Amino acid sequence: MNRYTLTYRSPDRRPALIDGSLLRPDTLCTLDRAALAGTMLPIGRTMVPLSELFDITNPDSSPDSSHPSSDSARHASLTIVSAPPLDRLGANMTHGRLIIEGDAGDDLGASMTGGIIRVAGNAGHRVGGPAVTSRRGMTGGEILIDGNVGDFAGFLMRRGLIAIAGTTGKSPGYRMLAGTIVLRSLCTDQPGLEMQRGTILCLDDVRIGASFIQGGLIAATAMPAMLMLIRRLEQLEWPRDWQRRMITREVAGGSWRLWSGDSLSINKGEVLQWQF
Amino acid sequence: MLINGAIIDDTFAEAFRMWASRLIVTAIDEHWVRVAAAVTCGYGTSVIGCDAEAGVERYLTPDETPDGRPGVSLLLFAFNADGLRKAVPNRVGQCIMTCPTTAVYDGMSDIVAGDEGARIDVGKRLRFFGDGHQKSKQIVDPHSNSARRYWRIPVMDGEFTCEETVGAVKAIGGGNILVCSRDQRSTLEATRRAVDAVAPLPLVITPFPGGIVRSGSKVGARYKGMFASTNDAFCPTLRGRVKSDLHDGVNCVYEIVINGLNTDAIAAATRAAIQAACACDIIAISAGNYGGKLGKFHFKLREVMA
């Protein structure tokens, strides 16, 4: 029993108060259905069982699958449908797949270390940023967003991949330590401000901060690691709108305009804008 | 046993334990893939005198490589994992990193260090060439769903991308056949066809020049310090002076050495080579048999062809 779908059914509750950090595939998908239904979720000052907020379905349900093994959790998949944009979804998750058929709130995938988060809609501020009490953002895993995001996506991220198909708020990659952010759409707010290391790939137009130094035009084939990243996104079928997908062959035919920065920090990061 | 009139000697090819790594090398186009493959596999014929035995397993289409560029799968063999720890980073550093537009990836990413496998540091060592400007990038492997680390070393045409470590496994070296015929030209023609028949097979290489050895060796020598010397029993010019294993009418012998990742792969390659050679006008097929002194893997020709 390692795949669950949770369909939200409580429009009267105050969704802004629901803490989504417990909605993680790596922990919930190891539970049997009864235990999952009884999992208590905090809403403001109260705790309510998960089954009060969500209808639970399991596409794999069978008598044999009622006792999940820890190994099966490696392939855990949790889908959340029709929920309001909950904060801290996928925080600290280590593996598995979290699919959000809708919007996510703030701090999506905070301090996650592995697995994949896929958001069909929009996400809030600090995607992949630090969890409460942590000074580091995500240190592994992949966050794929088909819509727009709020401010400071990738704030303090250390490792991993964030791919955003829509628009971004203030400085995506702000103070990032390392890792990779891919921006599919126009980015007007100076990505990577105060970044230390890491890579921000811009597949559309971008407004670069003044503290970034232009490093020339590099053939895409001269940076095979970037081709691998695009290929990985191609394999993950991101974004869902195939007309907006960048296929490896197409990217390989172009070039990267390179900026190094942030020179106000240690200047070991890079912003690459694809040119064709 | 006769195949198309050619005698299949009642003997066996004697092979021995080796360790192997597989490198996936990509480049901007097929020309540079072939250049990189040729240079990396150069001076990679026999561990008698080379640090590794190397060859092309097969060429890869862009769809089969990690970065979507044309590529090649190379197999490198050494006596043990420590031998690969020296040979692989040296060859990657001197032959691939120096070659325009190339990148190197692990072709055995599922191998973990242990009794049956090892991890060889490649990018982990070569990164220091970047003199502090190197960067690493972790990218999730879709097959294992785990992140693999790649080093990006700045070079004058962009970046040299190299996987941090590559896998190594126990393998087998020294599978072989001897193609025996009347003269140099006809024997060479038959042996080339045999090598061509082995080329598309997976998990094996034929590491010698064009896949063919003319200086087949036996174990030991009369001189101190030599642990291999000419295979005098198959030298036509020594007939009458040493105990010869040549059939009547044989005046030329070429050897195909086959290294592989397992016994089944070598047996399949041996079978394909014999069938192709016997389709030509040859006298006999034999094999390098050193009386059990060389290795524990014995490929009996008649069983392989049965």
Side-chain angles (χ1 to χ4, degrees):
Chain A
M1 197 180 291
N2 51 35
R3 292 201 295 159
Y4 285 115
T5 298
L6 305 180
T7 306
Y8 190 72
R9 65 182 173 91
S10 182
D12 346 334
R13 292 278 182 187
R14 295 178 185 166
L17 296 179
I18 300 174
D19 182 0
S21 63
L22 293 179
L23 301 178
R24 295 165 49 180
D26 51 342
T27 52
L28 296 188
C29 292
T30 59
L31 303 175
D32 61 28
R33 193 180 176 124
L36 177 63
T39 300
M40 302 301 283
L41 292 180
I43 303 183
R45 287 176 292 179
T46 60
M47 303 286 280
V48 296
L50 188 142
S51 58
E52 198 174 295
L53 296 174
F54 294 96
D55 286 327
I56 302 170
T57 52
N58 173 18
D60 298 333
S61 60
S62 71
D64 295 340
S65 61
S66 58
H67 297 289
S69 66
S70 60
D71 183 55
S72 68
R74 295 275 156 206
H75 310 288
S77 172
L78 183 68
T79 303
I80 299 174
V81 180
S82 302
L86 306 179
D87 292 342
R88 290 177 289 282
L89 283 167
N92 294 303
M93 71 181 259
T94 58
H95 57 262
R97 191 177 281 255
L98 176 62
I99 300 162
I100 299 157
E101 298 287 357
D103 296 337
D106 294 344
D107 299 300
L108 172 72
S111 295
M112 70 185 286
T113 59
I116 298 175
I117 298 177
R118 178 126 205 187
V119 182
N122 305 319
H125 303 308
R126 297 177 301 277
V127 170
V132 178
T133 75
S134 175
R135 299 181 69 177
R136 275 184 180 182
M138 63 191 290
T139 56
E142 296 162 311
I143 300 178
L144 309 172
I145 297 166
D146 289 317
N148 310 322
V149 300
D151 299 338
F152 308 125
F155 176 53
L156 287 175
M157 75 183 285
R158 176 71 181 83
R159 233 176 266 123
L161 170 68
I162 299 175
I164 301 163
T167 59
T168 50
K170 289 177 185 164
S171 189
Y174 176 64
R175 295 187 69 186
M176 68 189 285
L177 306 171
T180 308
I181 298 177
V182 180
L183 306 177
R184 177 66 188 88
S185 300
L186 168 73
C187 177
T188 55
D189 200 301
Q190 306 183 43
L193 291 180
E194 296 184 40
M195 71 190 293
Q196 293 189 9
R197 294 180 173 81
T199 305
I200 300 177
L201 296 182
C202 305
L203 301 175
D204 204 329
D205 282 332
V206 59
R207 179 172 162 238
I208 299 289
S211 49
F212 281 72
I213 300 140
Q214 197 174 133
L217 198 63
I218 316 292
T221 50
M223 301 181 84
M226 303 307 137
L227 295 179
M228 275 195 290
L229 279 167
I230 300 296
R231 196 171 178 83
R232 171 64 178 157
L233 291 172
E234 204 181 329
Q235 286 161 343
L236 291 168
E237 299 183 347
W238 173 89
R240 287 187 192 195
D241 177 3
W242 65 269
Q243 288 180 318
R244 303 189 67 201
R245 276 186 206 148
M246 301 291 289
I247 57 172
T248 315
R249 197 168 46 247
E250 184 186 354
V251 173
S255 304
W256 297 108
R257 186 168 295 285
L258 168 68
W259 285 270
S260 293
D262 186 337
S263 58
L264 296 177
S265 177
I266 62 173
N267 199 16
K268 291 196 170 185
E270 60 193 352
V271 177
L272 300 169
Q273 184 195 16
W274 186 66
Q275 314 270 313
F276 54 91
Chain B
M1 179 187 249
L2 292 174
I3 296 179
N4 289 344
I7 303 162
I8 308 299
D9 278 354
D10 186 12
T11 185
F12 57 87
E14 192 173 335
F16 51 93
R17 169 64 72 211
M18 294 186 91
W19 281 67
S21 284
R22 179 191 280 124
L23 302 179
I24 306 297
V25 181
T26 65
I28 192 169
D29 58 32
E30 287 178 12
H31 169 78
W32 289 110
V33 168
R34 287 178 187 277
V35 169
V39 176
T40 309
C41 298
Y43 188 50
T45 54
S46 168
V47 284
I48 291 173
C50 306
D51 59 352
E53 298 183 6
V56 171
E57 184 184 23
R58 68 188 185 95
Y59 287 91
L60 305 171
T61 64
D63 289 339
E64 296 174 298
T65 62
D67 59 20
R69 304 188 301 167
V72 63
S73 168
L74 305 178
L75 290 176
L76 287 87
F77 292 75
F79 274 129
N80 48 43
D82 283 342
L84 287 174
R85 285 194 179 93
K86 292 174 186 165
V88 174
N90 277 346
R91 284 173 181 260
V92 172
Q94 295 304 309
C95 306
I96 302 178
M97 185 165 72
T98 56
C99 181
T101 76
T102 54
V104 178
Y105 308 104
D106 180 14
M108 293 182 179
S109 56
D110 54 331
I111 300 301
V112 294
D115 291 343
E116 298 298 314
R119 300 296 303 174
I120 309 291
D121 294 347
V122 184
K124 200 172 180 177
R125 282 177 57 181
L126 296 177
R127 66 183 160 138
F128 296 110
F129 184 75
D131 199 25
H133 303 292
Q134 68 274 19
K135 295 174 177 172
S136 75
K137 190 61 71 187
Q138 284 193 335
I139 299 171
V140 173
D141 175 23
H143 304 297
S144 64
N145 242 358
S146 59
R148 290 161 64 176
R149 185 188 291 272
Y150 305 89
W151 283 97
R152 301 163 53 201
I153 301 168
V155 288
M156 294 191 298
D157 73 350
E159 286 180 348
F160 171 57
T161 301
C162 182
E163 189 140 2
E164 178 162 77
T165 61
V166 300
V169 292
K170 287 181 177 177
I172 299 161
N176 67 81
I177 64 167
L178 299 172
V179 181
C180 311
S181 193
R182 288 174 190 82
D183 55 44
Q184 208 172 41
R185 191 164 293 279
S186 66
T187 315
L188 194 54
E189 175 65 23
T191 317
R192 280 189 65 181
R193 290 194 182 201
V195 170
D196 289 345
V198 174
L201 300 180
L203 311 180
V204 292
I205 58 166
T206 52
F208 282 87
I212 301 173
V213 195
R214 73 166 183 180
S215 58
S217 57
K218 67 176 184 296
V219 177
R222 66 175 65 183
Y223 300 107
K224 272 188 182 172
M226 295 279 289
F227 55 92
S229 60
T230 191
N231 194 353
D232 44 24
F234 285 93
C235 290
T237 56
L238 298 182
R239 187 185 262 138
R241 286 198 276 163
V242 297
K243 181 185 170 301
S244 179
D245 287 335
L246 296 173
H247 292 273
D248 287 344
V250 171
N251 293 308
C252 180
V253 178
Y254 285 118
E255 181 176 0
I256 300 172
V257 171
I258 302 166
N259 292 352
L261 298 187
N262 58 49
T263 51
D264 289 345
I266 293 181
T270 304
R271 194 178 307 117
I274 292 174
Q275 279 168 346
C278 290
C280 303
D281 181 23
I282 62 168
I283 293 174
I285 294 286
S286 190
N289 165 359
Y290 311 101
K293 284 188 282 188
L294 188 62
K296 63 180 179 180
F297 301 99
H298 298 168
F299 296 89
K300 295 178 180 172
L301 297 186
R302 292 184 178 181
E303 286 183 10
V304 167
M305 298 308 294

